[in-house]
Amino acid sequence: MAVAETDVRAHARWFGTPVKRKEDPRLLTGRGHYVADISLPRTVHCALLRSPHAHARIHRIDVSKAQALPGVVLTLTGEELAQATNPLPSVFSLGNKPAPFLDYPMAVKKVRYAGEPVAAVVATDRYLAEDALELIDVEYEPLPAVTDVEEATRPGAPLLFEEMGTNVTWHGTFPYGEVERAFREADRIVKRRLYFHRYSSTPMETFGGIASYDPPSQLLTIYSNLQIPAMLHPFMSYSLKIPGNRLRQVTGDIGGGFGIKCAVYANMIILGVLSMRLGRPVKWIEDRHEHLLGSAHGTERAAYVEAAVKNDGTFLGVKIKSYDNDGGYMRFPEPVGVILWSHVVQGCYRFRDILMDCYAVVTNKCPVTPNRGYGRMQHQFFLERMMNIVARELGQDPVEIRLKNFIRPGEFPYEATNGSVYDSGDYAEALKQALERIGGYEHWRAEQKKARAEGRYIGIGVATIMDPGASNLGEMSMIDPDIRSSTAGEAATIKIDATGAVTVALGSVPQGQGHETTSAQIVADELGVSVDEVVVLTGFDTATHPYCGSSGTYASRYAGTATGALKGAAQKLRERIFKIAAQFLEARQEDLELAEGKVFVRGAPQRGMALRDIAGIALYNPAALPEGVEPGLEATCNYNFPLANQMDAKFRANYASTYANAAHAVAIEVDVETGEVKILKYAVVHDAGNLINPSIADGQIHGGVAHSLGAALYEEFAYDENGQLLTSSFMDYLCPKATDVPPMSVGHLCSPSPFTPYGVKGMGEGSGPIPALLGNAIEDALAPLGVEVDGSHFSPQNVMAMIWKAKGKRVDTQ
Amino acid sequence: MARMYPIKLTVNGIEYERTVEARKLLADFLRDDLELTGTHVGCEHGACGACTVIMNGQTAQSCLMLAVQADGAEILTVEGLADGAGLHPIQQAFLDCHALQCGFCTPGVLLSAHALLQENSHPTEEEIRQGISGHICRCTGYVNIVKAIQAAAEKTAVAPLNAK
Ligand code: FES
Ligand code: FES
């Protein structure tokens, strides 16, 4: 196993310190570069007509009245778009298999979810474009809709794609270890059906883009807030039928992404076609209603979970049959979300006999895409609930049962049953500290007892989870073994110009994570300059930034990948600088050091040269360079995580790159009259190894808690049985406000990764533990009533429904 | 051609005379006609606070107003918060406390914080949370926003806010 240098370099000046963010001055003064802020000459504006039906055949679209409206310059129907483009490539095409169905960014002949685009209008301003939408006449033939994932799998269910003959678009079974033996040897098998609801992190900036086609050069430039432009570049070029070098993609500041902005690309195909037709820039900014209704949602999953356990609480194995409700289409990277729990297949625990039995299902809901905690939070919800359910059945304590099952600190690096290499951690210590931070387990058990005597319901919950970083796209092979990939990388270029100034460009696409700052910290340390002097280019550009196959910002991947690229590029420059300086200073390379913008002989700073002088020689006097030294001071590193491997014949691979972990603890009170859940104390202890910038790391944890808390208590994409979304505005889709997020106590443990430069681990997603955490706490609070939690959403109605169900009352939540 | 209406208003101390369609939202007017793109639009239905400006001394959601309704008004947007090139003490506190990530909600939150501190120079944590409860921030969990407003309040208690 390759073991990288784990120590933060001894002379690190910026790494590990709360450097103030370089991004902030522009964002604080209203001078950010968000996509909606871009205005190009001759821009025209697009609006999309969306289907009011969840499932319907389109018999006719008449755009003549819209076209006649003054100011309208172009209309485009789904059918016309399909004629102009190739279908959106599916994951299956990566293994050279035909897609199970054709998918275009606008409906062709049929709509499959309410909110699906059916036609586009371009006009001289957005108001006019929206006026024109009202003049389009569409003749629909409504069809019965199916929204429930299990119903959709049953014979006789309405079919979204008749040509497939089923709504199950993919199914895979992956046995690890000796599952049947574990179930034979178990003292007890505990079975539940659990359900994880549908929500998304709804970034404050909606989707948007400008496509600008330049006919003379045949270059299409797309400015957007897509968070994976490099990865989808070949897909988009295929759909648009233009070579990759005629498609340039640019991002600037992005107002939050959280995974959901992986789905922006389908809309960009529409804009690209419109702009190529018009030869002028076409701009589209989604509105909030469109975003909630038709952009993309996080994954909803129903699962049948079986745990094989010993009477002492030891888990031997689990079997999970899961059904992902993927909505109307399966857009890249689906169906990968269905198997993404391969990153955390064992959670924090030692059981190794596992059966993954995974179904991807289309229904008449909005399509899904990655969302903070993608695919993994659902699984960890199941595991964390099962820990508590089993504990309760065995009359054990939920903390004790976790301690019994945790992987021990001495077992790292720990190779999980599916080949994932958990790098390091101390899960028991994290849990212990989280409980201390809420005031102590015993304390809350005593409070609970007192409260019960007064007829009040206090509950204590814990959830201990993995927060892995940097997917190894080797996971694609689980969908189809013919897909061969192993990219978990990033690319960076560092340039020192003739003035001695340092400029950095990366393949990452930050949406608030502060990469300009953290990258500057790393480069400043490596090159011995001040963090203030390093310029990291904002955003991403396929034409000018380096990138690799998996570039982008998703899956908590920056720390595990970009740091390697930055270090690699910096090392190349350091080497070159030392070679040049060694010749001019007549010193040995190993005696040289970089600091304060100078290279000098260690211990004799007067024997030195400014970086500017080295750059001057490298750029203007190549003849004076030592033999074999390349002119110029620019270097690129295309880094791949060293343990990112291809999947083997037994479905084994190291599916993520870093494996941070976290323990969350909470004390709550449930009002049994109203169903309201009040958080009394909240704590999280997170372990992402060495932190590049502790305040940015804290900020990521705060945001992750708020998202997951919102999901557990407020946010839900609720549909009626006809497939109509009931929560399509921020009046009904409730995001937590400042008055809803409780104060939280945040602690860090530091178990460095032995495999990454600097011992860092990815973080930020947080893996969405609060549905499990609150589920556990609510069940604990309401134990005297015999309530059992099987879902992930705890709105007052849902909590009351659980109470009534336990009391044997008729449940009517409508 | 839709009928255009003349309006005259002061934004960040500068007087503008423009003609606009009756239906044009104030948010769009600020962003498109005046090119003040610091005012963001997050929902267009008054539920997120991203478009907040200060109008005649009060916070207002510029997505819920028409530009013609702002005729004669005095408006402060995020671009006008700081004097000159530096940062306003509230902006500085946000920078110091890492109170923003993607920054999309930030202009609106800054203006609400400004209005809050004008009215109440020593707000409690509860009052701060109430004061910004019209805003949605998806990135920060509000933890550092609350901290920053507290920090700004402490600073500005010494140097009173520039009334704008
Ligand atoms: S955009 Fe005005 S309140 Fe959301
Ligand atoms: S900082 Fe991103 S929404 Fe507030």
Side-chain angles (χ1 to χ4, degrees):
Chain A
M1 241 172 234
V3 174
E5 170 199 342
T6 58
D7 286 351
V8 180
R9 299 201 3 248
H11 63 273
R13 204 174 140 200
W14 310 106
F15 184 102
T17 64
V19 169
K20 306 237 158 69
R21 293 205 325 167
K22 287 173 165 289
E23 293 85 347
D24 289 359
R26 69 171 183 270
L27 302 180
L28 284 163
T29 52
R31 286 162 181 87
H33 311 139
Y34 301 96
V35 68
D37 303 341
I38 301 172
S39 64
L40 301 175
R42 301 180 63 241
T43 297
V44 281
H45 299 266
C46 172
L48 298 175
L49 181 70
R50 292 172 181 274
S51 166
H53 302 287
H55 199 192
R57 245 180 269 289
I58 300 173
H59 286 307
R60 190 178 53 86
I61 303 183
D62 181 356
V63 292
S64 54
K65 286 201 199 108
Q67 281 172 339
L69 187 75
V72 169
V73 295
L74 186 65
T75 62
L76 187 77
T77 64
E79 198 93 41
E80 289 165 340
L81 179 74
Q83 278 156 19
T85 57
N86 286 319
L88 297 170
S90 84
V91 165
F92 301 97
S93 66
L94 299 174
N96 293 318
K97 302 280 159 50
F101 52 80
L102 297 186
D103 180 10
Y104 292 93
M106 293 204 286
V108 182
K109 294 197 170 71
K110 216 181 153 185
V111 294
R112 296 181 176 87
Y113 64 98
E116 181 173 1
V118 295
V121 172
V122 183
T124 48
D125 84 34
R126 173 66 179 249
Y127 289 75
L128 280 175
E130 291 187 23
D131 289 345
L133 294 185
E134 291 177 21
L135 302 176
I136 298 177
D137 189 19
V138 186
E139 191 188 316
Y140 293 102
E141 176 197 338
L143 300 169
V146 61
T147 55
D148 180 84
V149 67
E150 288 181 79
E151 228 174 275
T153 64
R154 292 192 188 117
L159 290 177
L160 272 77
F161 299 92
E162 288 85 354
E163 63 274 29
M164 271 184 14
T166 170
N167 291 319
V168 176
T169 53
W170 182 82
H171 172 224
T173 306
F174 308 96
Y176 296 105
E178 294 184 60
V179 187
E180 291 315 322
R181 196 186 68 183
F183 276 74
R184 261 196 326 270
E185 289 176 1
D187 293 329
R188 186 186 282 248
I189 292 166
V190 181
K191 300 182 184 185
R192 290 291 185 280
R193 179 191 182 275
L194 299 173
Y195 167 74
F196 194 93
H197 74 293
R198 177 179 274 251
Y199 70 93
S200 102
S201 298
T202 62
M204 287 314 299
E205 179 203 40
T206 56
F207 288 10
I210 304 178
S212 177
Y213 186 66
D214 178 50
S217 62
Q218 299 171 36
L219 179 70
L220 176 66
T221 304
I222 296 180
Y223 306 85
S224 79
N225 49 25
L226 172 59
Q227 66 184 89
I228 46 172
M231 203 201 290
L232 291 178
H233 195 74
F235 279 40
M236 294 170 71
S237 130
Y238 170 79
S239 275
L240 289 161
K241 299 186 180 171
I242 54 175
N245 59 1
R246 305 273 188 206
L247 172 64
R248 176 179 176 193
Q249 293 197 70
V250 183
T251 66
D253 287 312
I254 298 182
F258 316 118
I260 289 294
K261 282 187 178 146
C262 291
V264 170
Y265 75 105
N267 310 83
M268 295 306 112
I269 303 298
I270 307 174
L271 295 191
V273 168
L274 294 169
S275 179
M276 287 195 283
R277 295 226 164 148
L278 291 168
R280 60 197 287 194
V282 178
K283 182 172 184 175
W284 168 75
I285 304 295
E286 185 183 61
D287 71 26
R288 180 57 59 184
H289 175 68
E290 291 182 278
H291 182 81
L292 295 170
L293 187 67
S295 59
H297 294 167
T299 302
E300 171 186 0
R301 183 177 295 167
Y304 293 86
V305 186
E306 298 181 32
V309 296
K310 287 282 188 199
N311 279 336
D312 70 353
T314 304
F315 273 57
L316 300 179
V318 299
K319 292 185 192 171
I320 298 186
K321 185 194 281 253
S322 60
Y323 295 92
D324 280 28
N325 186 333
D326 285 328
Y329 295 86
M330 307 277 293
R331 297 217 164 126
F332 182 90
E334 297 310 323
V336 170
V338 172
I339 53 84
L340 219 79
W341 49 286
S342 52
H343 296 198
V344 292
V345 70
Q346 294 177 221
C348 304
Y349 309 108
R350 279 167 136 179
F351 60 87
R352 301 180 63 84
D353 300 320
I354 299 169
L355 180 70
M356 297 174 71
D357 188 14
C358 312
Y359 292 81
V361 184
V362 285
T363 69
N364 297 114
K365 289 187 177 179
C366 180
V368 302
T369 209
N371 187 59
R372 200 171 197 164
Y374 185 37
R376 295 161 296 204
M377 59 186 165
Q378 292 85 349
H379 178 56
Q380 300 198 98
F381 171 74
F382 303 145
L383 286 188
E384 289 307 297
R385 285 295 302 123
M386 287 310 278
M387 280 289 150
N388 273 49
I389 290 166
V390 168
R392 191 148 94 152
E393 282 207 17
L394 296 174
Q396 292 193 5
D397 181 275
V399 171
E400 287 305 317
I401 199 166
R402 285 177 171 77
L403 293 174
K404 177 161 291 171
N405 285 286
F406 279 147
I407 296 163
R408 312 289 193 258
E411 293 174 324
F412 294 103
Y414 175 92
E415 188 166 323
T417 189
N418 67 348
S420 289
V421 184
Y422 289 12
D423 38 23
S424 57
D426 187 341
Y427 306 155
E429 181 62 24
L431 176 54
K432 189 179 128 225
Q433 290 194 14
L435 285 166
E436 278 163 15
R437 280 177 179 269
I438 61 165
Y441 195 47
E442 296 315 316
H443 163 77
W444 282 109
R445 285 284 171 227
E447 288 296 306
Q448 181 178 51
K449 206 163 160 200
K450 260 192 274 167
R452 278 185 187 162
E454 295 162 15
R456 292 187 302 119
Y457 295 87
I458 282 182
I460 305 141
V462 296
T464 44
I465 51 127
M466 305 296 296
D467 186 13
S471 289
N472 165 10
L473 299 190
E475 70 211 1
M476 301 265 173
S477 308
M478 290 180 75
I479 302 302
D480 175 359
D482 287 342
I483 305 174
R484 302 314 295 170
S485 62
S486 55
T487 164
E490 194 48 275
T493 298
I494 308 175
K495 183 171 85 181
I496 305 176
D497 64 30
T499 70
V502 181
T503 305
V504 182
L506 290 115
S508 76
V509 185
Q511 315 116 37
Q513 297 91 338
H515 294 178
E516 288 172 46
T517 308
T518 49
S519 303
Q521 289 177 255
I522 286 166
V523 171
D525 276 343
E526 289 289 350
L527 297 181
V529 295
S530 162
V531 76
D532 300 326
E533 291 164 7
V534 178
V535 168
V536 180
L537 299 183
T538 298
F540 173 77
D541 184 337
T542 49
T544 56
H545 286 228
Y547 59 91
C548 71
S550 49
S551 276
T553 294
Y554 58 95
S556 302
R557 66 196 311 284
Y558 173 89
T561 59
T563 57
L566 290 164
K567 179 169 181 163
Q571 291 290 348
K572 288 184 192 176
L573 286 181
R574 284 169 62 87
E575 219 173 279
R576 211 180 301 169
I577 291 164
F578 288 150
K579 274 192 187 150
I580 299 170
Q583 171 173 306
F584 281 85
L585 295 172
E586 297 178 348
R588 294 187 323 167
Q589 286 178 46
E590 47 282 21
D591 294 337
L592 296 176
E593 198 174 308
L594 273 165
E596 315 285 338
K598 276 187 357 191
V599 52
F600 55 89
V601 179
R602 192 169 300 113
Q606 72 290 354
R607 271 182 74 198
M609 293 170 79
L611 272 185
R612 185 179 60 239
D613 297 331
I614 302 276
I617 295 165
L619 282 161
Y620 299 117
N621 195 5
L625 292 174
E627 212 178 301
V629 171
E630 192 185 324
L633 278 187
E634 179 173 329
T636 296
C637 174
N638 203 314
Y639 174 85
N640 204 39
F641 182 70
L643 274 63
N645 50 3
Q646 300 185 67
M647 190 188 81
D648 69 16
K650 292 185 167 160
F651 314 114
R652 291 163 47 86
N654 183 17
Y655 287 110
S657 304
T658 60
Y659 294 85
N661 68 284
H664 293 244
V666 73
I668 61 161
E669 180 166 351
V670 182
D671 183 330
V672 296
E673 301 298 319
T674 63
E676 198 194 341
V677 176
K678 186 166 173 218
I679 292 173
L680 305 173
K681 271 281 180 209
Y682 196 101
V684 47
V685 174
H686 195 275
D687 187 347
N690 293 325
L691 303 177
I692 304 167
N693 183 321
S695 56
I696 289 181
D698 278 343
Q700 289 293 321
I701 293 172
H702 300 153
V705 168
H707 268 165
S708 187
L709 182 85
L713 289 178
Y714 310 110
E715 299 173 44
E716 182 181 23
F717 289 118
Y719 282 83
D720 70 12
E721 67 275 20
N722 299 317
Q724 292 298 330
L725 180 62
L726 304 173
T727 51
S728 66
S729 81
F730 274 160
M731 307 289 189
D732 328 285
Y733 187 91
L734 301 176
C735 304
K737 305 281 184 76
T739 38
D740 301 318
V741 179
M744 57 186 97
S745 165
V746 176
H748 297 276
L749 290 183
C750 181
S751 312
S753 162
F755 308 123
T756 58
Y758 318 116
V760 293
K761 295 185 192 179
M763 58 137 7
E765 282 187 83
S767 280
I770 301 183
L773 180 76
L774 286 187
N776 291 343
I778 290 168
E779 196 171 274
D780 183 61
L782 302 181
L785 305 179
V787 164
E788 188 172 307
V789 170
D790 57 8
S792 54
H793 191 233
F794 310 110
S795 63
Q797 301 92 301
N798 286 358
V799 172
M800 287 316 294
M802 289 189 281
I803 293 172
W804 289 327
K805 188 172 157 202
K807 287 181 175 168
K809 285 197 193 162
R810 197 178 67 87
V811 181
D812 184 355
T813 58
Q814 290 306 305
Chain B
M1 195 61 198
R3 196 168 145 203
M4 304 292 276
Y5 297 82
I7 58 169
K8 193 156 120 182
L9 72 176
T10 305
V11 181
N12 303 331
I14 301 173
E15 201 175 278
Y16 295 90
E17 287 185 40
R18 293 286 191 276
T19 58
V20 293
E21 261 189 78
R23 64 177 175 174
K24 180 153 231 162
L25 295 180
L26 177 59
D28 290 341
F29 173 75
L30 293 170
R31 290 181 52 82
D32 300 340
D33 295 41
L34 303 189
E35 297 185 323
L36 294 168
T37 53
T39 299
H40 295 158
V41 176
C43 73
E44 280 184 279
H45 53 259
C48 79
C51 65
T52 301
V53 297
I54 293 182
M55 184 160 147
N56 301 330
Q58 305 269 315
T59 55
Q61 288 161 331
S62 61
C63 76
L64 287 186
M65 271 190 91
L66 302 171
V68 288
Q69 292 174 290
D71 189 21
E74 204 164 306
I75 291 176
L76 175 69
T77 71
V78 69
E79 288 93 343
L81 197 52
D83 267 331
L87 294 180
H88 182 280
I90 301 179
Q91 290 167 323
Q92 187 63 46
F94 271 57
L95 176 70
D96 293 342
C97 298
H98 182 39
L100 63 153
Q101 290 179 30
C102 79
F104 200 81
C105 70
T106 309
V109 179
L110 287 170
L111 291 168
S112 282
H114 179 59
L116 172 72
L117 294 184
Q118 296 249 296
E119 239 169 61
N120 176 357
S121 56
H122 289 93
T124 62
E125 176 174 341
E126 200 38 52
E127 286 167 337
I128 292 173
R129 286 182 183 269
Q130 282 296 342
I132 57 164
S133 65
H135 294 267
I136 301 176
C137 172
R138 286 308 250 164
C139 298
T140 64
Y142 309 99
V143 178
N144 289 343
I145 293 179
V146 172
K147 235 188 251 171
I149 298 173
Q150 281 167 331
E154 274 160 35
K155 263 190 249 160
T156 50
V158 194
L161 278 182
N162 247 347
K164 280 219 172 195

